Amino acid sequence: MSLRRIWLLRLVLPIRYGRTVTGLLLLSLLLPLFYAGAATASEHTPPALFFALIIAYIIPVFSFITAKAQETLRVLRPILALDDAEFHRIHADLDSTGLVLPLASICGGVLGACVHTVFIYNSVSDAMATVASSMPGFLSVVGTLMVWVVMTTVIVMLIRQARVFGYLGGTIARISLLETRALLPFARVSIISSLAIIGALALFPLINLEGGLNLAESVPGVVAILGPLVVIFIIPVWPLHKRLVKLKERELTRVSDKIEASLDDSGKVDLESTDIDTLLPLLTYRREIAQLSTWPFNLGNITTLAFYLIIPPLTWAGAALIENLVDSLL
């Protein structure tokens, strides 16, 4: 099957600081477009800043995450039981795909935008009437469509990338209970892949601050990305976790059998026996194995994840405070 570079990645300029420049260009193009509609609106003002920012944010960030995923794959190369051809194929799968998946993602985004638009305007007829009769209504639908298509494509591709690492961790990677540091890149890709969704969630309060839509009307969009957030976070590490659990159980059983063999018929240890010198290291080893984590996370990973997770609640709380302050001043 012929692979093509994911279309969103093609939008990022192939120059130094290309992601930053691309984000700024998208913002400078989209803001005037959506604010042109907002300036003449009386109700259902297009949330211009939200539409422009989320698109200008998600495309460069998706490019960054994809590059980090490929970098992580290269870091994992020494523990992957793959020949060079298979490794390069998987490496290409992280930023390229066939035509079916992108087209399906676009169709899914269009469908989601249609459902969301009907939810906002309460009925299909009202939605069509608003779109046909006013520029703000038209731009609101265009912005909703763009956001849904871009976000759906990003989410589908991030899930696809997550499945690649899930497959590698579940079947290909060579693992050892006594050397789990080599598995930390699986946790890093799990966390960095979640960054795109978490950042998008942090932008949703802009919808309400701009006064065009009630925040409740953004619920379909929030729900649509919260589920994938959990999936994207779990998939890269869950198969590896299950392998580590099974390996840990087998090792504990093996050590416990050796310890049991050192006991007499009553289950006691003869302190005068020379077997005590063999038993003590086994007890220490069993304790160490029992304490080993079966997740490829360390303190640094967990701290990074916690930092990411507090960003959306802080922005939502900040938006609520600003709204209350503005209401009290008016």
Side-chain angles (χ1 to χ4, degrees):
M1 181 180 65
S2 177
L3 297 180
R4 297 174 180 271
R5 189 169 170 83
I6 299 167
W7 66 274
L8 287 177
L9 298 178
R10 294 185 179 188
L11 298 178
V12 178
L13 297 174
I15 59 175
R16 190 179 183 186
Y17 306 117
R19 298 186 188 100
T20 302
V21 174
T22 299
L24 292 175
L25 283 175
L26 287 171
L27 192 62
S28 64
L29 290 172
L30 294 175
L31 266 180
L33 170 67
F34 291 120
Y35 269 126
T40 60
S42 58
E43 62 176 345
H44 280 301
T45 308
L49 188 58
F50 170 76
F51 285 156
L53 272 178
I54 197 169
I55 294 172
Y57 157 81
I58 200 66
I59 293 175
V61 166
F62 175 59
S63 172
F64 171 76
I65 290 172
T66 300
K68 284 296 182 181
Q70 292 180 317
E71 179 185 317
T72 300
L73 183 64
R74 293 191 293 271
V75 171
L76 288 170
R77 181 69 179 98
I79 66 169
L80 299 178
L82 296 170
D83 58 33
D84 288 342
E86 185 70 7
F87 176 80
H88 290 303
R89 183 191 67 78
I90 292 176
H91 190 277
D93 281 345
L94 294 175
D95 69 355
S96 303
T97 184
L99 289 176
V100 175
L101 194 57
L103 289 176
S105 301
I106 292 173
C107 291
V110 171
L111 179 61
C114 292
V115 173
H116 196 173
T117 300
V118 172
F119 176 81
I120 292 172
Y121 292 99
N122 300 318
S123 70
V124 176
S125 59
D126 287 347
M128 294 180 65
T130 302
V131 170
S133 63
S134 70
M135 179 59 68
F138 174 74
L139 288 177
S140 290
V141 172
V142 169
T144 301
L145 178 64
M146 291 176 65
V147 171
W148 270 91
V149 168
V150 171
M151 287 299 301
T152 301
T153 301
V154 168
I155 287 171
V156 169
M157 296 307 167
L158 287 177
I159 291 175
R160 184 171 179 267
Q161 292 176 4
R163 290 182 62 190
V164 168
F165 284 94
Y167 163 72
L168 295 174
T171 59
I172 302 299
R174 293 184 288 265
I175 63 175
S176 169
L177 285 175
L178 298 179
E179 185 49 73
T180 57
R181 286 180 300 175
L183 305 177
L184 291 178
F186 285 99
R188 287 199 294 270
V189 78
S190 173
I191 292 170
I192 197 69
S193 297
S194 305
L195 173 62
I197 311 297
I198 294 172
L201 281 173
L203 295 174
F204 270 81
L206 292 174
I207 296 175
N208 197 41
L209 285 179
E210 291 182 288
L213 297 174
N214 188 286
L215 195 58
E217 294 175 338
S218 67
V219 168
V222 174
V223 172
I225 62 178
L226 277 177
L229 171 60
V230 177
V231 172
I232 290 168
F233 177 76
I234 289 294
I235 287 179
V237 295
W238 182 254
L240 178 61
H241 164 69
K242 292 197 296 184
R243 284 183 69 191
L244 289 171
V245 167
K246 291 179 179 179
L247 184 60
K248 182 176 178 177
E249 289 175 349
R250 287 199 300 267
E251 191 68 1
L252 286 173
T253 299
R254 189 175 71 89
V255 177
S256 295
D257 289 343
K258 287 183 174 293
I259 292 173
E260 187 176 353
S262 301
L263 306 178
D264 58 24
D265 294 337
S266 63
K268 297 180 180 179
V269 179
D270 184 358
L271 297 179
E272 302 299 328
S273 170
T274 56
D275 288 341
I276 193 67
D277 295 331
T278 303
L279 182 60
L280 289 176
L282 288 174
L283 291 171
T284 301
Y285 179 64
R286 184 174 66 175
R287 183 171 62 252
E288 291 298 321
I289 294 297
Q291 292 175 349
L292 288 175
S293 173
T294 55
W295 294 97
F297 294 95
N298 61 12
L299 182 59
N301 298 141
I302 295 172
T303 302
T304 302
L305 176 62
F307 175 75
Y308 287 163
L309 289 177
I310 65 173
I311 294 175
L314 287 177
T315 58
W316 286 63
L321 289 173
I322 293 172
E323 183 179 10
N324 291 334
L325 179 60
V326 171
D327 290 340
S328 65
L329 295 176
L330 295 179

